Amino acid sequence: MAAVFPTWILIVALLFEAAVVMGSFPATLKLERKILLASHELELNQLRERDRLRHGRLLQSSSGGVVDFPVMGTYDPFLVGLYYTKVQLGSPPREFYVQIDTGSDVLWIGCNSCNGCPQSSGLQIQLNLYDPGSSSTASLVSCSDQRCSAGLQSSDSGCSGQSNQCSYTFQYGDGSGTSGYYVADLLHFNSVLEGSVITNSTAPIMFGCSVLQTGDLTKSDRAVDGIFGFGQQSLSVISQLSSQGITPKVFSHCLKGSNSGGGILVFGEILEPNMVYTPLVPSQPHYNLDLRSISVGGQVLSINPSVFSTSNNQGTIVDSGTTLAYLADEAYDAFMSAITNAVSQTVRPILSKGNQCYLITSSVNDIFPQISLNFAGGASLILNPQDYLVQQNSIGGSASWCIGFQKIQGQRITILGDLVLKDKIFVYDLVNQRIGWTNYDCSMSVNVSTNINTGRTEFVNAGQMSNDGSSRDQIRGMLALLLPIIMLTAYPVRIPPAAQCAKQWVGYFHGCLFFSFFFFFLLTVYLHHQPCKITGFRGLL
């Protein structure tokens, strides 16, 4: 038995190593999210003011695999009032929480030399400041850099002749805003390409390093580390990654409307059979849509279509960085009158701090009419009562529900914020210059296409994303483990005469071992190539 014992030790050791690998395969990243919400409450007039600040800039500023981001936050203005995600930047990578904003283009983060950056957040997240000096892959962006020149065309960058450093200033309505300079560094992300999960992927990107924040950005109650601009201009991350062939030039989100919040955010196209699309208005700096009419309870409102036409500082914009929704001045009164007339026999209308509200003792879905925003191409955005109403408080046995749509005084601009974007899939197809949507439960799974130029559609599973290596690497590891075991089973073991009685059992064990691992390997390869799905974020963070 002296010659057999070392062989058994080697087999057991290899089996133990295989068990460790197999026990974690397929490795998964649990996409279970829950937001620990602050108890702060905001009045609607405060929300209007906060949204107005960001609208100042809206009025002034004139491929590869699926990249999957976590989503946190909720539309509820009395809890969070924004959706945000987490990005990793630098070497070594550090995590930063940034607001998801389709109304701007640039990703910017508060820097270590920032004046006015909040030090804590009521969202119960750990705020971090980016330090270019502590990242081995960081570099400053000069005025002569091609990317800086591209940003000059869209007013997203500026240049100082003295420092030759590419900079930016984003100013909001009352003077609040941010300014800083651009840096280039590595973005770390989870990417899925052709069915394989690839972790620890990186790509060089250019983003803003904020050294000054003023006004609303300095407040701590809902503070994050920065803003993630998802616009279509050249400095947006989606444009940068697609130009490198890393991702398709399309992204999608599904923002969960319940109090637990969260949702799905991917660089890729969510595929749903009930999607409707409308073309983007060309040559616009934002995601402008051609709104043609509004229907309340199936009746088209008598509003001059010119109110919705797109021109300078006029039109309809999709903006995830806005909490509520806003109607052009000349459309607002007709909209409010139609709703009030539809419910006047059932509920009691009241004014609460300048907002039109209603005291309700039953479900709003049984009382309030359905609203339809009708766009070019025959696409309609259907809004159920909870897509345009906000519950403010309770009075006795009644609940006070207020109209979430607000008026932008003296402006012909309509902004679709989180209130109407929630509980729907939205696809921003920049290649075909269109936006699509459909009502959806954002806690459910979705199919996502990774097609860039291959002519194929892949389906991926974000629930199998891992920080330990790709599934293809895991298969290679399996082969590496199987090879020596197969060699052991194939190589004749020299057994001394005294142990001939055990020879038959050893051979039997070798055969079973070989076929067991061979079967498991075939099963692994089969599962590796099966279509999967992106999984929503829900549960505990």
Side-chain angles (χ1 to χ4, degrees), residues 105-187:
D105 298 296
V106 173
L107 166 64
W108 61 262
I109 307 289
C111 272
N112 60 328
S113 56
C114 181
N115 180 14
C117 285
Q119 302 298 310
S120 61
S121 174
L123 300 177
Q124 299 184 19
I125 57 176
Q126 178 64 48
L127 297 183
N128 290 312
L129 295 174
Y130 173 78
D131 180 9
S134 65
S135 173
S136 61
T137 50
S139 62
L140 300 180
V141 179
S142 67
C143 289
S144 58
D145 193 293
Q146 179 179 339
R147 294 167 296 183
C148 187
S149 302
L152 288 171
Q153 300 175 8
S154 58
S155 302
D156 283 328
S157 68
C159 261
S160 170
Q162 297 178 344
S163 63
N164 191 34
Q165 188 169 292
C166 192
S167 62
Y168 68 88
T169 297
F170 300 146
Q171 196 69 33
Y172 294 83
D174 67 344
S176 65
T178 177
S179 60
Y181 57 91
Y182 285 104
V183 296
D185 209 339
L186 291 181
L187 171 70

Side-chain angles (χ1 to χ4, degrees), residues 286-298:
H286 305 292
Y287 292 116
N288 283 76
L289 303 181
D290 185 2
L291 179 62
R292 298 290 179 84
S293 65
I294 300 177
S295 301
V296 176

Side-chain angles (χ1 to χ4, degrees), residues 449-467:
S449 170
T450 65
N451 179 22
I452 299 184
N453 296 312
T454 62
R456 301 188 308 171
T457 298
E458 298 284 347
F459 299 93
V460 298
N461 187 347
Q464 290 186 352
M465 285 189 164
S466 167
N467 293 323

Side-chain angles (χ1 to χ4, degrees), residues 328-364:
D329 191 351
E330 297 173 45
Y332 183 80
D333 292 339
F335 175 80
M336 293 297 300
S337 296
I339 293 177
T340 300
N341 292 337
V343 302
S344 59
Q345 301 300 318
T346 310
V347 300
R348 175 188 167 194
I350 60 172
L351 283 178
S352 175
K353 300 180 180 179
N355 302 297
Q356 182 60 64
C357 303
Y358 307 87
L359 289 179
I360 302 170
T361 56
S362 58
S363 170
V364 294

